Amino acid sequence: MEETSKWYVVHTYSGYENKVKANIEKIIENRGMHDLFDQVVVPVQDTIEMKNNVKKAVQRKIYPGYVLLKMVMTDDTWYVVRNTRGVTSFVGPASKPVPLTDEEIITMGIEVPDFELDLDLGELVRVITGPFEGSTGNVKEINHQKKTVSITLSVFGRETQVEVDYHVLQRM
């Protein structure tokens, strides 16, 4: 039975996220473990900061102190990651790290499932996650490029058009 790779989270010393990522990638390269590791990620977000009245584009770590790994969990991969300089622990019980669930992966924006949207304009849909969870509305517009759908919801008794990602909708 072939193991599939899953997302795991490791805790690092503060400020060591990029060093940990580089160290793990170097070990993967040196030991030829490419088949066991898919991705090593330090999630960042582009933001604008004001410093001395000057706007500057900067990258902020979304989860400071954490590195995300998509890997096949084996004794070897656990050992490599756990003994990488700067790693304090896996998130989860020490003996058995717990992979992220599909819902956590989507919510954190790590991966968005790739699927075709089979909705029609005017169709009634329910929002299954996010700030509008549980709301129902009609499809007004579908943007295949951005993978979003504009729907009208009743917000505080008023019809309001909102744009949501494909993956948060369910047919009624």
Side-chain angles (χ1 to χ4, degrees):
M1 182 177 103
E2 189 174 306
E3 287 282 322
T4 59
S5 56
K6 293 187 165 85
W7 283 100
Y8 294 90
V9 181
V10 291
H11 191 258
T12 68
Y13 292 123
S14 185
Y16 275 71
E17 301 89 353
N18 292 327
K19 287 183 184 129
V20 165
K21 177 183 188 300
N23 288 342
I24 291 172
E25 288 172 340
K26 187 182 274 184
I27 294 166
I28 293 168
E29 184 71 36
N30 291 344
R31 297 191 183 180
M33 299 176 86
H34 298 285
D35 54 332
L36 297 173
F37 288 87
D38 291 345
Q39 283 180 275
V40 182
V41 180
V42 177
V44 292
Q45 183 176 36
D46 293 324
T47 59
I48 304 293
E49 225 176 55
M50 286 293 284
K51 199 169 189 177
N52 301 331
N53 269 351
V54 177
K55 284 184 182 178
K56 185 180 177 189
V58 293
Q59 284 195 328
R60 286 255 174 263
K61 291 180 182 86
I62 299 172
Y63 307 108
Y66 295 94
V67 174
L68 307 174
L69 298 143
K70 187 170 188 182
M71 60 184 242
V72 176
M73 183 59 73
T74 66
D75 289 346
D76 288 342
T77 57
W78 180 90
Y79 183 85
V80 162
V81 173
R82 188 62 193 86
N83 291 289
T84 298
R85 183 190 211 75
V87 171
T88 58
S89 63
F90 273 96
V91 172
S95 57
K96 185 93 172 85
V98 179
L100 294 173
T101 64
D102 291 344
E103 192 173 304
E104 288 168 330
I105 292 164
I106 292 166
T107 305
M108 293 169 74
I110 301 167
E111 280 183 356
V112 176
D114 202 23
F115 59 88
E116 282 302 307
L117 186 68
D118 186 23
L119 292 175
D120 298 315
L121 294 177
E123 190 168 352
L124 186 62
V125 292
R126 176 188 309 280
V127 182
I128 55 172
T129 185
F132 301 108
E133 183 176 349
S135 301
T136 57
N138 291 355
V139 175
K140 289 291 176 207
E141 201 177 303
I142 300 171
N143 185 330
H144 294 286
Q145 238 71 41
K146 287 171 57 184
K147 294 190 186 304
T148 59
V149 177
S150 290
I151 58 175
T152 53
L153 301 175
S154 177
V155 179
F156 302 118
R158 294 181 60 183
E159 286 290 301
T160 306
Q161 191 161 323
V162 297
E163 187 178 70
V164 296
D165 292 334
Y166 278 11
H167 67 274
V168 305
L169 295 177
Q170 177 181 57
R171 272 193 144 125
M172 293 292 289

